Amino acid sequence: MPVGMIYARRLAVLTASAAVTATGLLATAPAAQAAMPTPVSAATARTYLAALTVKAEGSSTGYSRDLFPHWITQSGACNTRETVLKRDGVNVVTDSSCASVSGSWYSEYDGATWTVASDLDIDHVVALSEAWRSGANAWTTAQRQAFANDLTRPQLIAVTDNVNQAKGDLDPAEWMPSRTAYRCTYARAWVHVKHHWNLSVDSAEKSALQSVLNGC
Protein backbone atom coordinates (compact mmCIF):
# COMPACT_ATOMS: atom_id res chain seq x y z
CA MET A 1 0.00 0.00 0.00
CA PRO A 2 1.42 3.43 -0.91
CA VAL A 3 2.77 5.48 2.00
CA GLY A 4 0.25 8.24 1.38
CA MET A 5 -2.69 5.86 1.74
CA ILE A 6 -1.28 4.34 4.94
CA TYR A 7 -0.89 7.83 6.43
CA ALA A 8 -4.42 8.75 5.42
CA ARG A 9 -5.82 5.59 7.09
CA ARG A 10 -3.87 6.22 10.28
CA LEU A 11 -5.09 9.81 10.37
CA ALA A 12 -8.67 8.64 9.93
CA VAL A 13 -8.32 6.16 12.81
CA LEU A 14 -6.80 8.81 15.09
CA THR A 15 -9.56 11.27 14.22
CA ALA A 16 -12.24 8.67 14.92
CA SER A 17 -10.57 7.77 18.22
CA ALA A 18 -10.45 11.42 19.26
CA ALA A 19 -14.14 11.79 18.44
CA VAL A 20 -15.04 8.77 20.59
CA THR A 21 -12.95 10.15 23.46
CA ALA A 22 -14.62 13.55 23.18
CA THR A 23 -18.04 11.89 23.12
CA GLY A 24 -17.17 9.99 26.27
CA LEU A 25 -16.12 13.19 28.01
CA LEU A 26 -19.34 14.89 27.01
CA ALA A 27 -21.37 11.97 28.28
CA THR A 28 -19.77 12.19 31.74
CA ALA A 29 -19.78 16.01 31.99
CA PRO A 30 -22.04 17.62 34.62
CA ALA A 31 -25.61 18.22 33.52
CA ALA A 32 -26.29 21.66 32.11
CA GLN A 33 -28.28 24.14 34.17
CA ALA A 34 -31.96 23.81 33.33
CA ALA A 35 -34.05 26.91 32.84
CA MET A 36 -37.49 28.40 32.44
CA PRO A 37 -39.02 28.41 28.94
CA THR A 38 -36.97 30.56 26.57
CA PRO A 39 -38.56 34.00 26.13
CA VAL A 40 -39.14 35.55 22.74
CA SER A 41 -36.19 37.20 21.00
CA ALA A 42 -35.28 40.82 21.67
CA ALA A 43 -36.64 41.81 18.26
CA THR A 44 -39.96 40.09 18.94
CA ALA A 45 -40.05 41.54 22.45
CA ARG A 46 -39.63 45.04 21.01
CA THR A 47 -42.56 44.37 18.67
CA TYR A 48 -44.66 42.98 21.51
CA LEU A 49 -43.80 45.95 23.75
CA ALA A 50 -44.90 48.41 21.07
CA ALA A 51 -48.26 46.62 20.94
CA LEU A 52 -48.95 46.68 24.69
CA THR A 53 -51.49 49.12 26.08
CA VAL A 54 -49.75 51.97 27.89
CA LYS A 55 -51.64 53.46 30.82
CA ALA A 56 -51.15 54.50 34.42
CA GLU A 57 -50.84 51.58 36.81
CA GLY A 58 -54.11 50.67 38.47
CA SER A 59 -54.95 50.47 42.14
CA SER A 60 -54.04 47.65 44.52
CA THR A 61 -57.46 47.93 46.12
CA GLY A 62 -58.99 44.50 46.55
CA TYR A 63 -55.74 42.66 45.82
CA SER A 64 -54.90 39.46 47.68
CA ARG A 65 -52.48 36.67 46.80
CA ASP A 66 -55.35 34.31 47.61
CA LEU A 67 -57.07 35.56 44.45
CA PHE A 68 -54.23 33.89 42.48
CA PRO A 69 -54.41 30.28 43.75
CA HIS A 70 -50.94 28.71 43.87
CA TRP A 71 -49.13 26.40 44.10
CA ILE A 72 -51.48 23.94 42.40
CA THR A 73 -50.84 20.24 41.74
CA GLN A 74 -49.05 19.69 38.43
CA SER A 75 -48.43 15.94 38.38
CA GLY A 76 -48.84 13.27 41.03
CA ALA A 77 -47.61 14.73 44.33
CA CYS A 78 -45.76 17.59 42.63
CA ASN A 79 -47.06 21.13 42.89
CA THR A 80 -45.89 24.07 40.80
CA ARG A 81 -43.09 25.07 43.20
CA GLU A 82 -41.59 21.58 43.29
CA THR A 83 -41.96 21.26 39.52
CA VAL A 84 -39.98 24.47 38.96
CA LEU A 85 -37.33 23.47 41.51
CA LYS A 86 -36.82 20.18 39.70
CA ARG A 87 -36.79 21.90 36.30
CA ASP A 88 -34.37 24.67 37.25
CA GLY A 89 -31.93 22.60 39.29
CA VAL A 90 -29.16 20.14 38.56
CA ASN A 91 -29.17 16.58 39.93
CA VAL A 92 -32.33 17.29 41.92
CA VAL A 93 -33.53 14.40 44.09
CA THR A 94 -37.09 14.43 45.43
CA ASP A 95 -38.78 12.37 48.12
CA SER A 96 -42.13 10.58 47.96
CA SER A 97 -44.00 13.86 48.48
CA CYS A 98 -42.01 15.49 45.63
CA ALA A 99 -40.05 17.75 48.00
CA SER A 100 -36.52 18.46 46.76
CA VAL A 101 -34.10 16.87 49.25
CA SER A 102 -30.88 17.55 47.33
CA GLY A 103 -29.57 19.22 44.20
CA SER A 104 -27.93 22.41 43.03
CA TRP A 105 -29.57 25.61 41.89
CA TYR A 106 -28.02 28.63 40.17
CA SER A 107 -29.90 31.87 40.74
CA GLU A 108 -29.89 33.81 37.48
CA TYR A 109 -30.76 37.09 39.19
CA ASP A 110 -27.66 37.33 41.39
CA GLY A 111 -25.32 34.52 40.30
CA ALA A 112 -25.51 32.63 43.60
CA THR A 113 -25.54 28.82 43.76
CA TRP A 114 -27.57 26.98 46.41
CA THR A 115 -27.79 23.35 47.50
CA VAL A 116 -30.76 23.61 49.87
CA ALA A 117 -34.18 24.11 48.30
CA SER A 118 -35.40 26.30 51.17
CA ASP A 119 -32.88 28.95 50.11
CA LEU A 120 -34.87 29.48 46.92
CA ASP A 121 -38.12 31.20 46.09
CA ILE A 122 -40.08 30.68 42.90
CA ASP A 123 -40.35 34.16 41.46
CA HIS A 124 -43.29 35.28 39.39
CA VAL A 125 -41.40 37.35 36.81
CA VAL A 126 -44.46 39.56 36.52
CA ALA A 127 -45.54 39.71 40.15
CA LEU A 128 -49.11 38.83 41.05
CA SER A 129 -49.90 42.29 42.43
CA GLU A 130 -48.25 43.89 39.38
CA ALA A 131 -50.54 41.79 37.20
CA TRP A 132 -53.52 42.86 39.32
CA ARG A 133 -52.71 46.52 38.72
CA SER A 134 -52.17 45.85 35.01
CA GLY A 135 -55.48 44.19 34.25
CA ALA A 136 -55.73 40.92 36.18
CA ASN A 137 -58.18 42.55 38.61
CA ALA A 138 -60.81 41.97 35.90
CA TRP A 139 -59.96 38.28 35.40
CA THR A 140 -61.77 35.25 36.70
CA THR A 141 -60.19 33.23 39.50
CA ALA A 142 -59.47 30.48 36.97
CA GLN A 143 -57.51 32.93 34.80
CA ARG A 144 -55.55 34.19 37.78
CA GLN A 145 -54.76 30.63 38.82
CA ALA A 146 -53.48 29.84 35.34
CA PHE A 147 -51.30 32.95 35.42
CA ALA A 148 -49.88 32.19 38.87
CA ASN A 149 -48.90 28.66 37.82
CA ASP A 150 -47.88 29.31 34.21
CA LEU A 151 -45.15 26.83 33.26
CA THR A 152 -45.48 27.44 29.51
CA ARG A 153 -44.39 31.08 29.43
CA PRO A 154 -41.15 32.41 31.05
CA GLN A 155 -43.08 33.48 34.16
CA LEU A 156 -41.66 31.24 36.91
CA ILE A 157 -38.01 30.88 37.92
CA ALA A 158 -36.15 29.59 40.98
CA VAL A 159 -33.99 32.35 42.50
CA THR A 160 -32.33 33.32 45.78
CA ASP A 161 -35.12 33.86 48.30
CA ASN A 162 -34.03 37.23 49.71
CA VAL A 163 -33.43 38.58 46.19
CA ASN A 164 -36.98 37.66 45.27
CA GLN A 165 -38.25 39.29 48.45
CA ALA A 166 -36.28 42.46 47.68
CA LYS A 167 -37.83 42.56 44.22
CA GLY A 168 -41.32 42.25 45.67
CA ASP A 169 -43.89 43.57 43.21
CA LEU A 170 -41.59 46.10 41.52
CA ASP A 171 -41.61 46.50 37.75
CA PRO A 172 -38.50 46.95 35.53
CA ALA A 173 -38.50 50.72 36.02
CA GLU A 174 -37.95 50.05 39.74
CA TRP A 175 -35.99 46.78 39.83
CA MET A 176 -33.80 44.70 37.54
CA PRO A 177 -31.57 41.69 38.33
CA SER A 178 -28.22 42.72 39.83
CA ARG A 179 -26.57 40.28 37.42
CA THR A 180 -26.44 42.52 34.36
CA ALA A 181 -25.83 39.60 31.98
CA TYR A 182 -29.37 38.41 32.70
CA ARG A 183 -31.20 41.70 32.22
CA CYS A 184 -31.86 41.17 28.52
CA THR A 185 -33.42 37.77 29.19
CA TYR A 186 -35.44 39.23 32.06
CA ALA A 187 -36.81 42.06 29.92
CA ARG A 188 -37.68 39.63 27.12
CA ALA A 189 -39.45 37.37 29.63
CA TRP A 190 -41.37 40.28 31.18
CA VAL A 191 -42.67 41.48 27.82
CA HIS A 192 -43.42 37.93 26.66
CA VAL A 193 -45.59 37.34 29.73
CA LYS A 194 -47.37 40.69 29.61
CA HIS A 195 -48.09 40.30 25.91
CA HIS A 196 -49.45 36.77 26.25
CA TRP A 197 -51.70 37.72 29.15
CA ASN A 198 -52.72 41.05 27.60
CA LEU A 199 -51.53 43.13 30.55
CA SER A 200 -50.81 46.85 30.29
CA VAL A 201 -47.57 48.71 31.00
CA ASP A 202 -47.07 52.17 32.46
CA SER A 203 -44.88 54.71 30.69
CA ALA A 204 -41.85 54.39 33.01
CA GLU A 205 -42.01 50.60 32.79
CA LYS A 206 -42.15 50.73 28.99
CA SER A 207 -39.23 53.15 28.82
CA ALA A 208 -37.08 50.92 31.06
CA LEU A 209 -37.90 47.86 28.99
CA GLN A 210 -37.15 49.68 25.73
CA SER A 211 -33.77 50.75 27.08
CA VAL A 212 -32.79 47.18 27.99
CA LEU A 213 -34.17 45.60 24.82
CA ASN A 214 -32.43 48.13 22.58
CA GLY A 215 -29.14 46.96 24.05
CA CYS A 216 -29.82 43.25 23.59
Side-chain angles (χ1 to χ4, degrees), residues 151-216:
L151 294 170
T152 305
R153 263 63 54 181
Q155 162 67 341
L156 299 172
I157 184 171
V159 296
T160 302
D161 54 2
N162 61 349
V163 171
N164 179 55
Q165 290 152 25
K167 172 191 169 183
D169 63 355
L170 302 178
D171 70 30
E174 305 158 315
W175 186 94
M176 289 291 286
S178 61
R179 183 169 162 259
T180 55
Y182 197 69
R183 289 181 180 178
C184 179
T185 302
Y186 184 81
R188 288 159 48 210
W190 183 281
V191 173
H192 186 158
V193 171
K194 281 220 162 178
H195 181 269
H196 176 82
W197 290 96
N198 195 29
L199 295 169
S200 63
V201 291
D202 62 49
S203 57
E205 175 188 353
K206 181 176 182 178
S207 178
L209 289 164
Q210 284 176 326
S211 179
V212 174
L213 291 172
N214 287 340
C216 290

Side-chain angles (χ1 to χ4, degrees), residues 44-64:
T44 299
R46 287 191 289 268
T47 300
Y48 281 4
L49 181 59
L52 292 179
T53 298
V54 180
K55 65 179 184 179
E57 201 166 75
S59 170
S60 293
T61 300
Y63 168 74
S64 167

Side-chain angles (χ1 to χ4, degrees), residues 18-208:
V20 170
T21 301
T23 302
L25 289 173
L26 289 172
T28 58
Q33 172 70 24
M36 68 179 181
T38 302
V40 294
S41 68
T44 299
R46 287 191 289 268
T47 300
Y48 281 4
L49 181 59
L52 292 179
T53 298
V54 180
K55 65 179 184 179
E57 201 166 75
S59 170
S60 293
T61 300
Y63 168 74
S64 167
R65 288 178 66 85
D66 293 339
L67 295 173
F68 294 78
H70 67 289
W71 305 109
I72 62 172
T73 299
Q74 292 292 341
S75 176
C78 302
N79 66 19
T80 307
R81 172 182 164 83
E82 298 299 349
T83 300
V84 174
L85 283 171
K86 189 170 183 180
R87 181 199 71 189
D88 288 4
V90 174
N91 299 324
V92 177
V93 176
T94 56
D95 63 17
S96 59
S97 65
C98 201
S100 298
V101 295
S102 66
S104 176
W105 293 267
Y106 178 77
S107 172
E108 294 283 7
Y109 288 0
D110 59 332
T113 297
W114 303 98
T115 56
V116 179
S118 60
D119 286 324
L120 296 132
D121 279 354
I122 307 305
D123 180 42
H124 290 95
V125 172
V126 176
L128 304 182
S129 54
E130 164 68 23
W132 177 270
R133 299 190 300 270
S134 304
N137 61 315
W139 293 352
T140 64
T141 299
Q143 286 175 306
R144 289 192 287 264
Q145 175 176 292
F147 176 82
N149 298 275
D150 188 358
L151 294 170
T152 305
R153 263 63 54 181
Q155 162 67 341
L156 299 172
I157 184 171
V159 296
T160 302
D161 54 2
N162 61 349
V163 171
N164 179 55
Q165 290 152 25
K167 172 191 169 183
D169 63 355
L170 302 178
D171 70 30
E174 305 158 315
W175 186 94
M176 289 291 286
S178 61
R179 183 169 162 259
T180 55
Y182 197 69
R183 289 181 180 178
C184 179
T185 302
Y186 184 81
R188 288 159 48 210
W190 183 281
V191 173
H192 186 158
V193 171
K194 281 220 162 178
H195 181 269
H196 176 82
W197 290 96
N198 195 29
L199 295 169
S200 63
V201 291
D202 62 49
S203 57
E205 175 188 353
K206 181 176 182 178
S207 178

